[in-house]
């Protein structure tokens, strides 16, 4: 069901060109931005796999795109918001699936997501 997007430009094109109409509606929130962080020193490849597994399990019926940010690849200076001390991922997730299922976001759900991501990250060890 998923597909790998080759780079940031292609991911941006996907969101801007294919999802644009839905993103600019007047309805309640159409997408959410989810940030998943890891501790400094976490293995980038293992973390990326854990995030992919988490997103697929939790949001598999929704359209989403995610990008991994590794401080080793960040060319911005710290004072410009760059070189964070930890690897993290940004995910843009549609709030409604193609079948109409809606993402429920509440403090309780966030705790469940955190626990599921921790479970997926635990398999990295």
């Amino acid at each position: 069901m998923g597909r790998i997007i080759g780079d940031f430009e292609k991911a941006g094109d996907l969101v801007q060109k294919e999802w644009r109409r839905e993103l600019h509606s007047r309805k309640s929130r159409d997408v959410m931005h989810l940030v998943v962080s890891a501790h400094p020193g976490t293995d980038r490849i293992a973390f990326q796999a854990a995030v992919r597994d988490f997103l697929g399990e939790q949001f598999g019926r929704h359209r989403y795109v995610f990008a991994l940010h590794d401080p080793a690849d960040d060319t911005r200076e710290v004072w410009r918001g760059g070189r964070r001390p930890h690897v993290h991922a940004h995910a843009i997730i549609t709030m409604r699936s193609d079948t109409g299922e809606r993402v429920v976001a509440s403090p309780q759900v966030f705790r469940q997501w955190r626990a599921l991501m921790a479970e997926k990250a635990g398999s990295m060890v």
Side-chain angles (χ1 to χ4, degrees):
M1 179 162 175
R3 64 182 159 157
I4 294 176
I5 308 298
D7 58 35
F8 294 118
E9 185 176 331
K10 289 178 183 172
D13 286 348
L14 170 72
V15 172
Q16 288 298 319
K17 293 177 181 173
E18 292 184 32
W19 300 1
R20 174 174 238 146
R21 275 190 331 186
E22 297 171 43
L23 296 176
H24 294 287
S25 73
R26 297 286 181 198
K27 298 179 286 187
S28 60
R29 187 184 330 174
D30 298 318
V31 297
M32 75 172 164
H33 176 200
L34 181 67
V35 179
V36 183
S37 299
H39 295 291
T42 298
D43 177 81
R44 170 191 180 145
I45 303 301
F47 179 69
Q48 183 175 6
V51 171
R52 182 175 281 119
D53 196 22
F54 162 74
L55 291 171
E57 184 172 325
Q58 189 62 50
F59 303 105
R61 294 185 182 131
H62 296 259
R63 288 181 287 159
Y64 63 87
V65 62
F66 81 99
L68 189 73
H69 287 175
D70 187 335
D73 297 335
D74 197 343
T75 59
R76 296 174 300 152
E77 298 299 325
V78 173
W79 64 274
R80 289 186 165 243
R83 300 221 181 260
R84 303 278 185 222
H86 59 275
V87 64
H88 59 281
H90 294 263
I92 304 297
I93 305 159
T94 59
M95 293 296 286
R96 188 174 302 277
S97 73
D98 291 338
T99 60
E101 182 181 349
R102 194 136 173 91
V103 171
V104 176
S106 69
Q108 180 182 3
V109 170
F110 292 144
R111 284 190 291 277
Q112 292 169 351
W113 292 349
R114 183 176 289 133
L116 179 59
M117 183 57 207
E119 176 186 314
K120 301 297 180 188
S123 65
M124 293 182 342
V125 181

